[in-house]
Amino acid sequence: MSQDEEMFGRSLSAQQQRELAEKLTTFLSQYRHLSDSFIIEFFTEDLWDTLPSSWQPALKDLTYPQIADLLLDPANGDRRYPAVWPLSLLAFRATAHALAFPRECRWELGRTVGSVKPEEFQENQSQSSLLGHIFRKHVKPKKQHEIRKLGKLVKQLCDQTDCNRVVDVGSGQGHLTRFLSFGLGLSVTAIEADRTLVAMASRFDGQLLWALEKEKQKKNCSSQLPAAHSSPRHVAGWVNPKASWEAFIKQLNTGDGFNKGPETPSGPSKKRLRGSEHQRPVQTCPSHSSTEPNIHSKDLESSSKHQPSRSDDQMSADDCCSCIQPACLERVHRHQNGQLGRPDFVLTGLHACGDLSATLLRHFINCPHVRGITSVACCYMKITTKENPTPPGLIEPSTPLTPCQESVPSEFGYPMSSWIQGLPGHQLSYKAREGACHAVEDYVQRLREESELLRTHCYRAMLETFIRDTRPDLRRAGIQTIKKAHLLPFTEYARLGLARVGLPPELPLDPERVESLLEQQGRVVVYFSLALLLAPVVETLVLLDRMIYLQENGVDSQLVALFNPNFSPRNFVLVALKPRE
């Protein structure tokens, strides 16, 4: 691996990981009052006065661009202070930046400064120039960027583990699944809890096949690009975090399957696909830039002997259920006759929500058939903890598991590692984990542009004061998003918000008090930025906990800042493969 492509997690030994965990928990414990605070309580809880008295004069008159440059941007080397900052404030900022995993893709450093979108979207804001057009339909630019980069990484892992099978968990509409299958020639099983999304994924598969067939007939020639092994298999099912890996494997094998064959795709000309679509090569994406991250087996594995390639006899019949070629039919017959073993596979989850990412890591460790994993986490606030085993938004199983299906019921999404579980002050509140999901780069951009969107925090905090004046028992009521709130005068915003919590919309508001609170908008933004500075630190602790968990179970891992953070805020991918036996 070249030096500029070296991954941050690779540079930390097991001892360094543990030392970093100690520093993170100590630092976050010291500033828990910031990470646990709710900005909507800025006025009701006098949050400004909770800051050290020496910080307040230095921060109170900062402009929005100064907040971005002096607080949030770790790469800014030209800091010009309007006043002398206390050493404790400088130390707070420096420590927060030093402890957080770097979020910039190292192979993208030095590119256009201030460019929000990756270079692949410079010519067309909605179409990636590096992704084949057949994989861009129905796919937003952010997702195009993600599936292209993650797909290539999954393919590398498959090559290193001699696995051609991938299980995509939380597959949604199947955008990554299609790229892995039709674009990279992998055999993919996708599992998604939302049956509507599963049906959409199946329909989009059919549309892709129909488009390829139409293009082939139009050109009257065959493509020279390699063909996929089969169409992906879609399974409708919810992956229960408490279920054992055996129950997970059974779910993959017996779950409700969709698109058992692409012979009935959505779109016109369904008949033309029958019997012909499987005998042509499938278009893949164009060649990729040499600046893509490159995972070498020597960086992740502790021994050198490869596992033998899986034979056709070991492939699942479901991998070829949509294929009508004789060899595929023969595999189906062998499967029906009970001659098929369980093949190895690679697990992947693109922004697997809450405990799902932790569950996949446990299955990776415990299940002998999982050879590698790429995990992109999301929604840290939905992670279960000992202190908060049922956070808001947690999905409960529709039917209880039998004792033989359950894993250890006391396992939570955080902490996973024994080391961090034993550290004092390791606890992360719901609010701290929710803050870790915020997009720091996006907020920096708003600050530099002095966006009117910044006033919404102040609006909501002001509304909280008037709500509590009338209903002291009504705290942190859910207002939800008010469309274009930043363009409304506060009185109109308040009228809409009060109605949503069951209070009279025409509740009288003291004009002088409204004006006095509005004048503190800058302080609200400063306080929110201080809390936001801790967001990458909290995320680092959650991800480091997972790396240490893998290390405790004999598996080294790497943390890759794979996506452009301006484009995809949850841009870290945890990559691991098991040592070869």
Side-chain angles (χ1 to χ4, degrees):
M1 179 183 306
S2 62
Q3 184 177 1
D4 62 334
E5 292 175 350
E6 183 181 359
M7 297 165 191
F8 185 79
R10 178 61 183 166
S11 63
L12 295 180
S13 66
Q15 181 61 30
Q16 289 172 327
Q17 289 179 8
R18 296 185 177 195
E19 291 174 355
L20 177 57
E22 290 179 335
K23 294 176 181 177
L24 286 165
T25 53
T26 300
F27 178 68
L28 289 172
S29 296
Q30 183 176 353
Y31 293 100
R32 184 163 288 160
H33 63 281
L34 273 174
S35 62
D36 290 1
S37 61
F38 290 80
I39 196 63
I40 67 173
E41 296 179 330
F42 181 83
F43 299 114
T44 58
E45 303 297 326
D46 295 323
L47 294 183
W48 182 258
D49 288 336
T50 65
L51 296 176
S53 58
S54 61
W55 291 19
Q56 296 176 25
L59 297 172
K60 67 183 180 66
D61 294 323
L62 291 180
T63 65
Y64 293 156
Q66 285 174 334
I67 296 172
D69 293 339
L70 301 181
L71 272 179
L72 294 179
D73 186 359
N76 181 30
D78 185 24
R79 296 190 175 100
R80 302 182 182 183
Y81 299 90
V84 176
W85 278 25
L87 290 177
S88 59
L89 178 57
L90 293 171
F92 167 73
R93 182 199 62 200
T95 305
H97 288 317
L99 291 180
F101 286 144
R103 292 171 52 78
E104 288 290 338
C105 311
R106 293 195 176 189
W107 45 91
E108 292 188 353
L109 291 178
R111 296 187 179 181
T112 306
V113 177
S115 176
V116 175
K117 290 192 174 183
E119 285 190 352
E120 62 192 285
F121 295 97
Q122 295 306 309
E123 294 182 4
N124 187 322
Q125 294 291 299
S126 61
Q127 303 290 329
S128 169
S129 61
L130 299 178
L131 189 66
H133 70 91
I134 60 171
F135 301 110
R136 298 196 301 250
K137 187 176 182 181
H138 307 296
V139 186
K140 295 181 179 179
K142 174 179 177 290
K143 184 69 72 173
Q144 293 178 31
H145 174 71
E146 293 167 350
I147 65 173
R148 180 183 68 83
K149 282 184 165 283
L150 184 59
K152 293 289 288 183
L153 191 59
V154 172
K155 182 64 166 65
Q156 290 182 34
L157 210 57
C158 287
D159 291 342
Q160 292 167 31
T161 57
D162 290 324
C163 289
N164 192 55
R165 293 193 71 217
V166 177
V167 173
D168 179 12
V169 182
S171 52
Q173 299 178 41
H175 301 313
L176 174 63
T177 300
R178 272 184 295 284
F179 181 60
L180 292 171
S181 178
F182 297 110
L184 300 176
L186 299 171
S187 179
V188 188
T189 296
I191 182 167
E192 165 61 43
D194 190 328
R195 297 181 66 88
T196 301
L197 296 181
V198 175
M200 291 176 66
S202 178
R203 186 169 75 249
F204 291 161
D205 289 353
Q207 291 176 359
L208 183 147
L209 287 167
W210 176 80
L212 287 174
E213 180 66 16
K214 183 177 180 181
E215 184 173 312
K216 174 187 173 184
Q217 293 182 358
K218 182 178 179 180
K219 293 181 178 180
N220 196 26
C221 64
S222 61
S223 170
Q224 297 179 352
L225 297 172
H229 284 259
S230 68
S231 295
R233 175 176 181 260
H234 296 282
V235 174
W238 179 65
V239 178
N240 192 328
K242 292 186 177 182
S244 64
W245 69 262
E246 292 92 346
F248 174 63
I249 294 294
K250 183 178 181 181
Q251 185 179 26
L252 294 176
N253 290 337
T254 62
D256 294 335
F258 283 72
N259 83 314
K260 295 297 184 181
E263 59 271 6
T264 56
S266 298
S269 304
K270 296 179 182 178
K271 292 183 179 180
R272 277 193 300 178
L273 286 171
R274 299 187 178 182
S276 61
E277 68 272 22
H278 308 287
Q279 299 174 20
R280 68 184 186 297
V282 176
Q283 178 178 343
T284 63
C285 62
S287 61
H288 290 67
S289 168
S290 61
T291 57
E292 293 290 352
N294 185 24
I295 306 288
H296 293 293
S297 56
K298 66 180 181 180
D299 294 317
L300 281 171
E301 301 185 9
S302 59
S303 57
S304 60
K305 186 177 180 181
H306 278 278
Q307 291 281 352
S309 299
R310 310 300 300 186
S311 67
D312 284 349
D313 290 3
Q314 294 169 303
M315 299 299 291
S316 168
D318 292 320
D319 297 334
C320 300
C321 61
S322 59
C323 188
I324 62 170
Q325 295 177 3
C328 295
L329 290 177
E330 182 180 349
R331 288 201 292 269
V332 172
H333 293 154
R334 285 201 300 269
H335 176 75
Q336 292 173 342
N337 292 331
Q339 300 175 12
L340 181 66
R342 289 177 174 172
D344 291 346
F345 59 90
V346 168
L347 265 179
T348 190
L350 177 53
H351 293 143
C353 181
D355 274 3
L356 184 55
S357 291
T359 300
L360 298 186
L361 290 173
R362 289 193 172 101
H363 288 337
F364 164 68
I365 288 297
N366 296 318
C367 177
H369 307 294
V370 185
R371 300 298 307 159
I373 187 171
T374 64
S375 171
V376 186
C378 188
C379 301
Y380 300 124
M381 64 283 196
K382 295 182 181 179
I383 294 174
T384 60
T385 66
K386 182 178 180 180
E387 300 76 26
N388 190 5
T390 56
L394 184 69
I395 300 176
E396 296 291 345
S398 56
T399 56
L401 294 170
T402 62
C404 64
Q405 292 176 316
E406 287 193 10
S407 59
V408 181
S410 61
E411 291 179 335
F412 298 105
Y414 173 86
M416 295 184 69
S417 67
S418 299
W419 176 256
I420 289 184
Q421 188 174 1
L423 293 178
H426 71 269
Q427 294 83 2
L428 293 175
S429 68
Y430 175 88
K431 185 62 183 69
R433 289 180 278 116
E434 186 271 335
C437 293
H438 289 182
V440 178
E441 291 78 11
D442 179 67
Y443 202 74
V444 167
Q445 192 73 15
R446 291 185 186 185
L447 288 167
R448 290 191 170 134
E449 295 173 352
E450 300 184 86
S451 170
E452 293 180 335
L453 290 167
L454 294 169
R455 72 177 51 154
T456 55
H457 289 309
C458 187
Y459 272 16
R460 181 61 186 88
M462 291 169 62
L463 181 60
E464 187 75 4
T465 64
F466 293 110
I467 291 175
R468 294 195 190 182
D469 284 347
T470 307
R471 286 276 307 277
D473 60 312
L474 193 58
R475 302 170 61 88
R476 304 173 192 166
I479 302 297
Q480 303 304 320
T481 302
I482 294 178
K483 188 176 181 180
K484 297 184 179 179
H486 60 288
L487 300 178
L488 303 174
F490 175 73
T491 52
E492 176 63 16
Y493 171 86
R495 187 183 68 81
L496 297 172
L498 289 168
R500 294 189 177 187
V501 296
L503 293 177
E506 304 303 330
L507 190 73
L509 306 177
D510 181 358
E512 292 185 3
R513 189 181 182 197
V514 168
E515 188 63 27
S516 174
L517 295 176
L518 280 174
E519 290 176 354
Q520 300 185 57
Q521 179 178 313
R523 297 186 181 186
V524 176
V525 173
V526 167
Y527 190 92
F528 181 81
S529 298
L530 289 171
L532 189 61
L533 187 57
L534 295 174
V537 185
V538 174
E539 181 176 37
T540 295
L541 181 57
V542 173
L543 297 177
L544 181 63
D545 169 58
R546 295 174 181 183
M547 297 177 72
I548 296 176
Y549 165 79
L550 294 175
Q551 188 275 328
E552 289 175 346
N553 285 276
V555 178
D556 291 328
S557 61
Q558 293 183 26
L559 195 64
V560 187
L562 188 66
F563 310 138
N564 184 311
N566 296 288
F567 206 44
S568 181
R570 302 282 66 76
N571 69 325
F572 286 114
V573 183
L574 186 56
V575 187
L577 55 87
K578 291 176 182 174
R580 298 187 183 102
E581 298 176 0

